[in-house]
Amino acid sequence: MNNNVKTAMVGTPCQILAATKINEYSDETGGSSIDVKIGLFCMENFSYTYLKEFLIDKKIDINNVKGFRIEENKFKVILNNNDIFMVPLSETDSFKRKNCDICLDYTSDISDISIGSLGSPKGWSTVIIRTEKGKKILENAEKENYFETKEISEKGKQLLERIANQKIQKNLENINLREEVSRPVIYRRKISDDEIDEISSECQFENLESDVISEGACVLCGACEYVCPIDIVKIDDRKPQKFGECKEDCHACYYACPRTFLSENILGYDFEEKPLGDYLDIVSVRSSKIKGQDGGAVTSILMYLLEKGLVDNVSIVGEDENISWKPVSRLTSDVEEVKKAAGTKYSTVPIGFKALEK
């Protein structure tokens, strides 16, 4: 890895957790260039293949779709002619990834900054500031007129806590149901770093396969592929696969995976105790630079980080040039490319670990 390169990563809670573990256990994983972590609010993620099938069943050509939105407990499909097709969010079960139903983190609790729309007025983003690094970025970006901020309303904060709690309680039930018929969901079992070292130092890809992948807990984050020192782990829209024999005494993938054991040093509390995690402040943000989805906070922060030289590149999720709405993750240092990639992509995509320099 090039230690001089700094990357800002935008990701869902599981992806942020993977990035945290890669750097926390850098002796085993090799670490990464990720220096700033921007987490997204996430209730669940969708399969591109099954989302497309759902649209076909509804007589909607995905090539005629201008955008997707989740609002007011509805899944909305905005067409190019501005017509809106919507269904209750409960009807998305047919294309929701089942691996998401054991996640207890709604607001990306271990990022520097967490961002979503819930809790803020229309046209604004909700931003949870979690670390001193995140606080400094937000304060300085506001001084440089990248956006304006205001305190979130008490009603907005209560809504955020209620939705986060709903995800936790619903998915705790899912975890309990799984554990009645299968093996334990191990990422929920917080243990000490000493215990993690004792267990993980004996685990390789085969153990990851039995403990996570075969159990339907893999989130396709791409961490195992990224940390593999001999590049035999591959992910292509499906679960990770190994092509070859593991390097002797290598445990990198097991340490990096967000669905193996969660250290008390990484998360020192239960999700049930703090549904929004630890944070310094919660504010509403509206971009002064772009007219983006909601308040445009993610795009504005990435623009600020690049234009001020605080990072060398940022992770974005754009679209495949040849396949409509097929998400593709990549790194860029081009502000115009960041602007073009603005907006939520609702399908699963392995995060830009693939593109990071090792």
Side-chain angles (χ1 to χ4, degrees), residues 290 296-304 335 338-339 341-343:
I290 63 160
V298 173
T299 303
S300 291
I301 290 172
L302 294 181
M303 290 171 59
Y304 167 75
V335 170
V338 171
K339 292 179 183 178

Side-chain angles (χ1 to χ4, degrees), residues 119-168:
S120 286
K122 190 174 181 62
W124 293 73
S125 301
T126 298
V127 175
I128 304 177
I129 306 166
R130 300 193 180 279
T131 65
E132 289 297 331
K133 179 187 290 184
K135 180 181 178 182
K136 185 176 180 181
I137 289 169
L138 208 72
E139 288 177 346
N140 290 340
E142 184 177 17
K143 288 177 185 177
E144 295 279 352
N145 296 316
Y146 278 78
F147 44 70
E148 59 179 308
T149 68
K150 63 181 181 181
E151 285 299 313
I152 191 172
S153 68
E154 187 59 33
K155 183 178 179 181
K157 182 181 175 183
Q158 289 174 357
L159 174 62
L160 195 57
E161 289 179 336
R162 185 170 78 249
I163 297 302
N165 258 319
Q166 285 178 4
K167 176 176 181 176
I168 290 167

Side-chain angles (χ1 to χ4, degrees), residues 202-259:
E202 298 180 358
C203 293
Q204 293 192 304
F205 185 84
E206 286 78 8
N207 305 96
L208 185 69
E209 196 166 34
S210 61
D211 290 350
V212 176
I213 301 168
S214 298
E215 289 297 306
C218 172
V219 295
L220 295 180
C221 67
C224 56
E225 181 181 48
Y226 169 69
V227 301
C228 179
I230 54 176
D231 297 325
I232 61 171
V233 178
K234 303 296 179 186
I235 300 176
D236 292 304
D237 293 331
R238 300 183 62 195
K239 64 184 181 181
Q241 294 179 288
K242 185 184 68 147
F243 299 90
E245 294 300 318
C246 289
K247 182 181 177 182
E248 187 177 354
D249 201 34
C250 175
H251 321 288
C253 62
Y254 204 85
Y255 273 97
C257 178
R259 289 296 176 257

Side-chain angles (χ1 to χ4, degrees), residues 1 20-32 255:
M1 184 190 70
T20 303
K21 294 185 74 175
I22 286 171
N23 285 347
E24 179 76 11
Y25 303 116
S26 59
D27 288 346
E28 291 78 17
T29 66
S32 79
Y255 273 97

Side-chain angles (χ1 to χ4, degrees), residues 305-337:
L305 292 170
L306 284 174
E307 290 177 344
K308 298 305 174 181
L310 298 177
V311 298
D312 299 285
N313 50 46
V314 301
S315 68
I316 59 171
V317 176
E319 289 182 46
D320 189 293
E321 293 181 358
N322 303 310
I323 307 175
S324 293
W325 290 100
K326 176 71 171 177
V328 177
S329 180
R330 59 184 178 271
L331 295 180
T332 185
S333 57
D334 185 345
V335 170
E336 291 304 314
E337 193 172 4

Side-chain angles (χ1 to χ4, degrees), residues 26-45:
S26 59
D27 288 346
E28 291 78 17
T29 66
S32 79
S33 62
I34 296 168
D35 185 63
V36 178
K37 295 179 295 183
I38 300 172
L40 303 173
F41 297 178
C42 182
M43 184 62 72
E44 63 228 346
N45 220 322

Side-chain angles (χ1 to χ4, degrees), residues 165-211:
N165 258 319
Q166 285 178 4
K167 176 176 181 176
I168 290 167
Q169 297 309 316
K170 177 183 176 183
N171 287 354
L172 277 174
E173 292 178 9
N174 293 332
I175 288 171
N176 290 335
L177 286 173
R178 281 201 189 197
E179 292 185 334
E180 286 178 5
V181 298
S182 188
R183 302 172 67 180
V185 176
I186 61 176
Y187 103 98
R188 189 175 164 240
R189 305 238 180 321
K190 285 205 309 292
I191 59 178
S192 70
D193 268 328
D194 287 342
E195 291 173 296
I196 285 180
D197 283 334
E198 183 179 345
I199 296 171
S200 301
S201 63
E202 298 180 358
C203 293
Q204 293 192 304
F205 185 84
E206 286 78 8
N207 305 96
L208 185 69
E209 196 166 34
S210 61
D211 290 350

